Amino acid sequence: QVQLVETGGGLVQAGGSLRLSCAASGRTFSSVAMGWFRQVPGKEREFVAAINWSGTSTDYTDSVKGRFTISRDNAKSTVYLQMNSLKPEDTAVYYCNALVARRPAFDSWGQGIQVTVSS
């Protein structure tokens, strides 16, 4: 079973930057697409960004295009999310997971990491 551990969140002012990391255990990491999701209280978890297994293709939800960059290091079994020009509406708990067609592939999730953007 794959375990996912997200780190790097915190409190930042609007316009600031944060870099999230997701370390994955298990031998399947380098062969699967990975992605980031986020959730705010009272709402469903939503897709944010995805990267294919080789890191050559990425996909973003419209609201973060041009501001967020997803990347991965298969040697470290880690996927990253560089978040620039942060907005208060980016405030959420962020999670990583494998994914297929913008939907999570693993049933289990990590603990998530809180990102709070103040105005």
Side-chain angles (χ1 to χ4, degrees), residues 1-6 22-37 45-53 70 72 74 77-79 95-110:
Q1 186 173 352
V2 175
Q3 290 188 320
L4 304 165
V5 179
E6 300 93 348
C22 170
S25 65
R27 290 174 289 181
T28 62
F29 177 87
S30 62
S31 63
V32 298
M34 293 294 296
W36 287 92
F37 300 81
R45 203 163 344 205
E46 66 172 359
F47 166 78
V48 176
I51 188 166
N52 71 337
W53 69 271
I70 188 171
R72 67 189 295 163
N74 285 344
S77 295
T78 301
V79 62
Y95 302 86
C96 66
N97 204 323
L99 82 172
V100 177
R102 294 190 169 191
R103 298 184 66 85
F106 297 148
D107 291 334
S108 62
W109 295 84

